[in-house]
Amino acid sequence: MKNAKMVIDKDFKISRVDHRIYGSFIEHLGRAVYSGIYQPEHPLADENGFRKDVIELVSDLDVSVIRYPGGNFVSNFFWEDSVGPVENRKPRLELAWRSLEPNTFGLDEFSRWASKVNADTMMAVNLGTRGTKDACNLLEYCNYPSGTKYSNMRIGNGKKEPYNIKLWCLGNEMDGEWQVGQKTMTEYGRLAAETAKAMKLIDPEIELVSCGSSYMEMPTFPQWEATTLELDYDYVDYISLHQYYGNLNNDSSDYLAYSDDMDKFIKSVIAACDFVKAKKRGRKTINLSFDEWNVWFHSKDEEEDITKNHPWQVAPPLLEDHYNFEDALMVGLMLITLLKNADRVKIACLAQLVNVIAPIMTEPDGKAWRQTIYYPFLHASKYGRGIVLQPLVDSPKHTTLEHGEVSDIVSIAVYNEEEESITIFAVNRNIIEDIILDIDIRSMDKFSLKEHIVLHHDNLKAENTAKQEQVYPVKTEVVKVEHGKLEVNLKKASWNVLRFKISK
Ligand code: AHR
């Protein structure tokens, strides 16, 4: 049996976890909104038409912030069409996904829903087909107390108090040729700077996210980050990263190695941010908003067929990836990667939340259910709050086709001072062999392993469905701690949550 070693010391700190890294995303796309979070005719709908079964599953995840309304959707979003009396609202052609947007659910409904699930809103403005003026109008509608055109419009729509939305995205994936209103780096940098400047005049307390590259392989990466930040550095607070992975070659070992690429992506964006800071002799550090991350590949053919051959439907079943067990491992690996970079990644959104590349699925005439990827997010959000510790990990390796030699074990530890606990998240991404993990928590004399939660299935391709949940976490036998050390068996291909209680 192979052994890995992990040394933890509570004085070796990376950073406090910003609770906003447990964010997610609701876009007007496919069935995320209509028949996802909102379905007035469903037996479990509340007085607002919100599905209570979905609210329950989302609330359990304790999602801190939810990005809205897109995504690619935002580049042709006319927010005024989505507010006011529903009977006056008109459907519109939605260009990103070639669907019909009925506008029966809009930004006021979203804000009400977000407060039901106890999440803050991260609002995106349209810098594709619109610009500075409309971003300012929207901000005035949301955050200005009263007495102006748009604040009074909000009050007239029944919302007396301002929403006070503190986090705003300056457009979405503006480098992508698929984006309606795509920009060059200079065009975007200038537009983002002017929009940010104006928005901060309206509300100096907001924080703004400049659009980074759509993914690491974009031909303009990382020049895009350097050029756009040189133009908008003075006015923005974060730069966005987006990345999706998939097991396209059906090579599971190689697939699970992609989290190493995610780490490289984060480090490269940090380098670009710091380069601009140095060049400008700046004092401000630009941090990272990883506001789209997940697995996305299972549903690509259906997506192409619907958008190409069956356009202009209301809520077509787009991007409905059915996740399997290895996808859950990948999501766990991505969460660990975000935590490892907690000193610079301050916001992250699992894209998305309901029905669209989502941990939660709904049947229009039936129940809401949990996909495999629901569980690692649940565990990280529940137990991964506090201070991320820098562990020393010495892991055996295995060889992959594209990524070469990679570590078997990927892990991180989070120390929660209030609860006096430490949680270790660890993935054994060796799909052939179990690994023994020797853990040494040397800075604490007395601690005990409270529980060891494991997500494992013998079949990497096992999926959950509305009828049957095959992939779910189980509690495994707890081993005894002796002299501050313990040995834990990490099953081949497994997500592990080890929860320690520290006694004073
Ligand atoms: O999350 C799905 C889509 O992925 C988003 O609309 C877009 O921003 C990204 O390309």
Side-chain angles (χ1 to χ4, degrees):
M1 183 88 79
K2 291 205 275 184
N3 279 63
K5 190 170 181 194
M6 185 175 190
V7 181
I8 300 162
D9 189 312
K10 77 171 174 357
D11 293 325
F12 299 167
K13 296 172 184 165
I14 295 181
S15 171
R16 184 167 286 284
V17 179
D18 190 315
H19 71 288
R20 297 172 301 175
I21 72 162
Y22 301 117
S24 190
F25 180 23
I26 287 285
E27 177 167 3
H28 280 252
L29 191 186
R31 299 195 305 114
V33 171
Y34 306 106
S35 85
I37 63 176
Y38 177 73
Q39 194 179 0
E41 67 284 4
H42 193 275
L44 292 176
D46 68 9
E47 67 286 3
N48 301 295
F50 305 155
R51 280 185 63 152
K52 286 189 279 192
D53 50 352
V54 174
I55 287 180
E56 204 179 308
L57 289 178
V58 174
S59 302
D60 287 349
L61 289 179
D62 202 0
V63 178
S64 51
V65 64
I66 303 182
R67 189 162 171 254
Y68 177 82
N72 296 336
F73 170 84
V74 82
S75 287
N76 195 43
F77 176 50
F78 295 84
W79 65 269
E80 309 88 320
D81 295 349
S82 82
V83 297
V86 175
E87 57 282 10
N88 297 343
R89 299 191 204 165
K90 306 280 185 298
R92 271 198 99 107
L93 294 183
E94 195 293 291
L95 304 186
W97 307 101
R98 303 190 74 218
S99 305
L100 196 69
E101 172 52 54
N103 278 315
T104 48
F105 181 102
L107 91 88
D108 291 319
E109 287 80 15
F110 178 75
S111 300
R112 203 171 307 138
W113 181 81
S115 60
K116 293 232 170 217
V117 297
N118 205 19
D120 289 332
T121 298
M122 179 184 197
M123 184 69 84
V125 301
N126 175 357
L127 294 189
T129 53
R130 298 183 116 181
T132 307
K133 183 175 76 184
D134 293 295
C136 289
N137 295 347
L138 174 57
L139 177 59
E140 185 183 311
Y141 182 91
C142 293
N143 285 13
Y144 197 73
S146 66
T148 63
K149 175 169 172 178
Y150 293 105
S151 58
N152 283 352
M153 187 195 268
R154 182 196 70 242
I155 293 167
N157 290 337
K159 185 71 176 75
K160 188 160 176 286
E161 297 306 320
Y163 289 121
N164 263 324
I165 296 172
K166 291 296 170 222
L167 201 51
W168 294 75
C169 302
L170 297 163
N172 177 70
E173 296 187 351
M174 301 306 303
D175 58 337
E177 60 77 31
W178 58 89
Q179 202 66 223
V180 178
Q182 182 195 7
K183 305 278 183 282
T184 65
M185 353 189 169
T186 323
E187 284 168 347
Y188 175 72
R190 286 289 307 127
L191 178 60
E194 290 307 319
T195 305
K197 186 165 84 186
M199 289 176 78
K200 284 198 170 167
L201 288 172
I202 297 173
D203 185 348
E205 283 175 13
I206 57 172
E207 290 193 303
L208 295 170
V209 184
S210 186
C211 261
S213 297
S214 296
Y215 51 97
M216 198 170 78
E217 284 73 32
M218 286 298 285
T220 44
F221 175 77
Q223 191 58 52
W224 173 277
E225 280 68 10
T227 303
T228 56
L229 279 179
E230 280 188 36
L231 293 165
D232 64 15
Y233 173 87
D234 288 339
Y235 308 106
V236 304
D237 306 281
Y238 305 94
I239 188 153
S240 72
L241 294 83
H242 291 181
Q243 189 71 53
Y244 297 95
Y245 295 111
N247 189 359
L248 289 163
N249 300 324
N250 198 16
D251 178 338
S252 303
S253 286
D254 207 56
Y255 173 43
L256 299 178
Y258 273 107
S259 61
D260 294 3
D261 291 9
M262 185 188 189
D263 192 64
K264 276 185 212 139
F265 186 23
I266 292 173
K267 300 280 188 315
S268 308
V269 175
I270 292 172
C273 292
D274 294 350
F275 163 76
V276 174
K277 180 181 179 186
K279 194 168 171 189
K280 291 201 166 261
R281 278 60 171 155
R283 308 185 80 164
K284 174 171 82 174
T285 298
I286 303 288
N287 282 321
L288 277 51
S289 170
F290 213 125
D291 46 47
E292 286 189 36
W293 67 269
N294 201 351
V295 170
W296 173 15
F297 75 110
H298 294 286
S299 63
K300 289 277 183 188
D301 292 345
E302 289 89 338
E303 173 195 326
E304 207 180 303
D305 178 49
I306 293 173
T307 51
K308 219 179 188 169
N309 307 320
H310 311 283
W312 317 127
Q313 302 178 58
V314 174
L318 283 167
L319 279 66
E320 298 205 2
D321 273 37
H322 283 247
Y323 293 116
N324 56 33
F325 168 57
E326 66 184 7
D327 298 328
L329 293 178
M330 188 59 204
V331 163
L333 287 162
M334 293 177 91
L335 282 159
I336 292 174
T337 308
L338 292 170
L339 284 167
K340 279 183 173 175
N341 290 285
D343 53 334
R344 295 300 291 271
V345 179
K346 299 294 172 189
I347 304 158
C349 304
L350 172 67
Q352 298 192 11
L353 189 54
V354 181
N355 287 333
V356 171
I357 43 174
I360 298 166
M361 299 296 288
T362 66
E363 304 213 292
D365 305 317
K367 62 192 268 205
W369 53 278
R370 299 174 190 85
Q371 295 237 52
T372 60
I373 65 166
Y374 184 94
Y375 290 109
F377 189 92
L378 173 77
H379 296 149
S381 174
K382 235 172 147 175
Y383 306 123
R385 310 221 180 198
I387 296 167
V388 186
L389 302 179
Q390 178 73 69
L392 285 175
V393 184
D394 187 11
S395 167
K397 294 185 167 41
H398 59 276
T399 305
T400 61
L401 204 61
E402 299 280 327
H403 289 86
E405 273 213 321
V406 301
S407 66
D408 291 336
I409 303 299
V410 178
S411 59
I412 195 70
V414 181
Y415 170 47
N416 188 316
E417 291 156 303
E418 288 98 68
E419 290 175 7
E420 286 295 332
S421 67
I422 288 187
T423 300
I424 293 175
F425 300 104
V427 174
N428 178 1
R429 58 179 173 176
N430 185 325
I431 60 170
I432 297 165
E433 290 175 86
D434 288 10
I435 306 282
I436 298 283
L437 181 64
D438 302 326
I439 303 171
D440 177 351
I441 309 190
R442 51 183 55 177
S443 60
M444 287 163 212
D445 317 333
K446 287 195 185 144
F447 63 92
S448 52
L449 181 56
K450 251 177 33 180
E451 55 181 356
H452 179 184
I453 307 168
V454 182
L455 191 69
H456 173 78
H457 199 286
D458 287 336
N459 176 7
L460 289 168
K461 308 293 179 191
E463 290 178 9
N464 291 347
T465 62
K467 288 203 179 68
Q468 197 200 1
E469 187 164 284
Q470 292 195 78
V471 180
Y472 54 87
V474 291
K475 288 189 186 167
T476 183
E477 201 192 324
V478 168
V479 286
K480 262 186 92 181
V481 180
E482 274 175 35
H483 312 298
K485 295 186 182 170
L486 75 160
E487 284 187 353
V488 185
N489 182 46
L490 305 184
K491 267 177 180 282
K492 64 180 181 186
S494 63
W495 159 259
N496 301 269
V497 183
L498 296 147
R499 300 188 57 225
F500 297 91
K501 180 80 195 150
I502 303 158
S503 16
K504 288 237 171 87

